[in-house]
């Protein structure tokens, strides 16, 4: 028998579940099989592909490099099989399931309120999960199918992922109207030396996204507070004599005032991205069209 004759759809589904769960009992639960049945299917898969596919660790399995590469093709095959059994006409009103969006704190403020409103209005049976954007895990989450769409900045996304530019954004320097610098015309050197608050949601530290821009002028910022998200910074500014550089759309509705500067940091793009294997998925294409 050829290798193709020895494969069946259930084995591929077991493989996909093991890639996602990396645990035999969890994979069995996901598929409604016994753990013994999962082990039998894995044994056949190892024989077909002549690779161990998964190596045991303390609390489950870890895929081999061959299995990680194989998972991309297997997932595409399963999506194509599912498409064969699905209606050819996509109807948002009747689509069911769960769609997971990973978004930066900024995107959750600025992009998602409008998108969620449209999704709830046009696809009432679709359930949504919004999760924080995890820079160190985003590739793993999207490869495994645990995240369908990411909304972030270009530098946060793997190079091989399809993206769509949503809009261009820029930073503005802001402060509370009560701040001592609020009604002055400070130089860039004075701005750099003034107590500053930054948002560092991915990795807690005192390095901000525009530090390199200040360094072009031989300046280093006086960062005194590092916050975990953009949304909390306006509240900190209200209670401290300090400044912050925030994306212009993130200050809408706040009581902050913009401090005018002769020069501003370079603008940047806000994008949506997805794993290449979902590029032809009807639901994915529809959500992207709304964006």
């Amino acid at each position: 028998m050829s290798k193709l004759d020895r494969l069946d759809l259930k084995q591929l589904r077991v493989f996909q579940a093991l890639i996602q769960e990396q645990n035999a009992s969890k994979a069995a639960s996901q598929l409604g099989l016994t753990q013994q049945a999962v082990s039998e299917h894995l044994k056949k898969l190892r024989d077909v592909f002549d690779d161990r596919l998964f190596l045991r660790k303390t609390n489950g399995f870890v895929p081999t490099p061959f299995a990680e590469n194989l998972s991309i093709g297997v997932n595409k095959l399963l999506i194509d099989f599912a498409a064969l059994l699905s209606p050819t006409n996509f109807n948002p009103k009747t689509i069911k399931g769960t769609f997971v969006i990973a978004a930066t704190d900024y995107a959750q403020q600025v992009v998602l309120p409008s998108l969620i409103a449209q999704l709830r209005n046009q696809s009432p049976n679709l359930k949504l999960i919004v999760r924080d954007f995890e820079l160190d895990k985003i590739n793993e989450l999207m490869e495994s199918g645990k995240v369908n769409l990411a909304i972030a900045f270009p530098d946060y996304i793997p190079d091989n992922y399809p993206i769509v530019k949503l809009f261009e954004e820029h930073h503005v320097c802001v402060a509370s109207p009560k701040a001592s610098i609020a009604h002055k015309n400070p130089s860039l050197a004075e701005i750099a030396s003034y107590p500053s608050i930054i948002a560092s949601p991915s990795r807690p530290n005192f390095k901000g996204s525009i530090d390199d821009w200040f360094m072009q002028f031989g300046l280093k910022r006086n960062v005194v507070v590092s916050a975990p998200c953009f949304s909390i910074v306006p509240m900190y500014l209200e209670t401290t004599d300090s400044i912050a550089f925030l994306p212009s759309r993130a200050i809408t509705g706040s009581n902050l005032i913009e401090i005018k500067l002769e020069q501003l940091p370079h603008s940047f793009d806000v994008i949506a991205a997805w794993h290449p294997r979902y590029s032809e998925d009807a639901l994915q294409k529809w959500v992207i069209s709304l964006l």
Side-chain angles (χ1 to χ4, degrees), residues 13-14 17-18 20-21 23-38:
R13 293 183 63 226
V14 167
L18 287 170
Q20 291 176 349
E21 302 294 350
N23 181 285
S25 61
K26 290 181 179 179
S29 176
Q30 180 191 129
L31 297 170
L33 299 174
T34 65
Q35 192 167 335
Q36 182 179 355
V38 168

Side-chain angles (χ1 to χ4, degrees), residues 102-152:
T104 60
D105 167 58
Y106 168 81
Q108 291 179 41
Q109 285 181 261
V110 175
V111 180
L112 290 191
S114 176
L115 176 63
I116 289 175
Q118 291 188 63
L119 290 172
R120 292 299 307 135
N121 180 53
Q122 298 186 48
S123 189
N125 297 313
L126 182 66
K127 294 186 177 182
L128 303 170
I129 293 177
V130 177
R131 58 183 296 163
D132 287 332
F133 188 95
E134 298 176 80
L135 181 59
D136 295 330
K137 294 182 178 180
I138 192 62
N139 188 47
E140 172 192 338
L141 291 169
M142 296 182 81
E143 278 194 341
S144 66
K146 293 178 180 177
V147 167
N148 301 104
L149 186 72
I151 305 178

Side-chain angles (χ1 to χ4, degrees), residues 98-253:
T98 302
F99 195 84
V100 183
I101 302 172
T104 60
D105 167 58
Y106 168 81
Q108 291 179 41
Q109 285 181 261
V110 175
V111 180
L112 290 191
S114 176
L115 176 63
I116 289 175
Q118 291 188 63
L119 290 172
R120 292 299 307 135
N121 180 53
Q122 298 186 48
S123 189
N125 297 313
L126 182 66
K127 294 186 177 182
L128 303 170
I129 293 177
V130 177
R131 58 183 296 163
D132 287 332
F133 188 95
E134 298 176 80
L135 181 59
D136 295 330
K137 294 182 178 180
I138 192 62
N139 188 47
E140 172 192 338
L141 291 169
M142 296 182 81
E143 278 194 341
S144 66
K146 293 178 180 177
V147 167
N148 301 104
L149 186 72
I151 305 178
F153 311 116
D155 291 347
Y156 289 6
I157 301 297
D159 291 338
N160 61 323
Y161 281 24
I163 66 169
V164 60
K165 177 180 173 180
L166 303 183
F167 52 85
E168 197 171 275
E169 176 63 292
H170 65 280
H171 286 97
V172 291
C173 182
V174 293
S176 163
K178 297 175 288 186
S180 58
I181 201 172
H183 302 288
K184 297 179 180 179
N185 294 311
S187 66
L188 197 57
E190 290 172 315
I191 290 290
S193 64
Y194 206 79
S196 183
I197 298 176
I198 66 168
S200 184
S202 299
R203 298 185 179 96
N205 54 43
F206 292 104
K207 181 173 174 56
S209 59
I210 60 170
D211 285 347
D212 291 342
W213 179 74
F214 272 96
M215 288 179 65
Q216 293 176 14
F217 303 96
L219 300 171
K220 183 178 180 181
R221 284 197 294 170
N222 177 24
V223 178
V224 296
V225 176
S226 176
C229 57
F230 287 104
S231 56
I232 199 68
V233 173
M235 300 181 196
Y236 294 167
L237 290 174
E238 289 283 357
T239 58
T240 61
D241 188 4
S242 54
I243 59 172
F245 280 79
L246 294 175
S248 64
R249 290 172 173 83
I251 63 172
T252 303

Side-chain angles (χ1 to χ4, degrees), residues 61-126:
F61 291 117
V62 60
T64 66
F66 178 86
E68 289 182 335
N69 289 329
L70 183 64
S71 67
I72 297 173
V74 170
N75 275 312
K76 187 178 186 308
L77 277 173
L78 291 173
I79 290 170
D80 290 343
F81 274 122
L84 288 173
L85 302 174
S86 301
T88 54
N89 295 322
F90 176 79
N91 184 353
K93 291 288 185 185
T94 59
I95 192 74
K96 295 181 179 180
T98 302
F99 195 84
V100 183
I101 302 172
T104 60
D105 167 58
Y106 168 81
Q108 291 179 41
Q109 285 181 261
V110 175
V111 180
L112 290 191
S114 176
L115 176 63
I116 289 175
Q118 291 188 63
L119 290 172
R120 292 299 307 135
N121 180 53
Q122 298 186 48
S123 189
N125 297 313
L126 182 66

Side-chain angles (χ1 to χ4, degrees), residues 7 11-12 15-16 19 42 45-46 48-54 63-78 143 277:
L7 268 179
Q11 290 168 5
L12 296 181
F15 176 82
Q16 184 191 47
I19 283 287
L42 177 55
L45 285 164
R46 283 170 167 165
V48 170
F49 291 108
D50 195 26
D51 188 271
R52 295 184 67 184
L53 299 179
F54 299 90
T64 66
F66 178 86
E68 289 182 335
N69 289 329
L70 183 64
S71 67
I72 297 173
V74 170
N75 275 312
K76 187 178 186 308
L77 277 173
L78 291 173
E143 278 194 341
R277 68 171 173 268

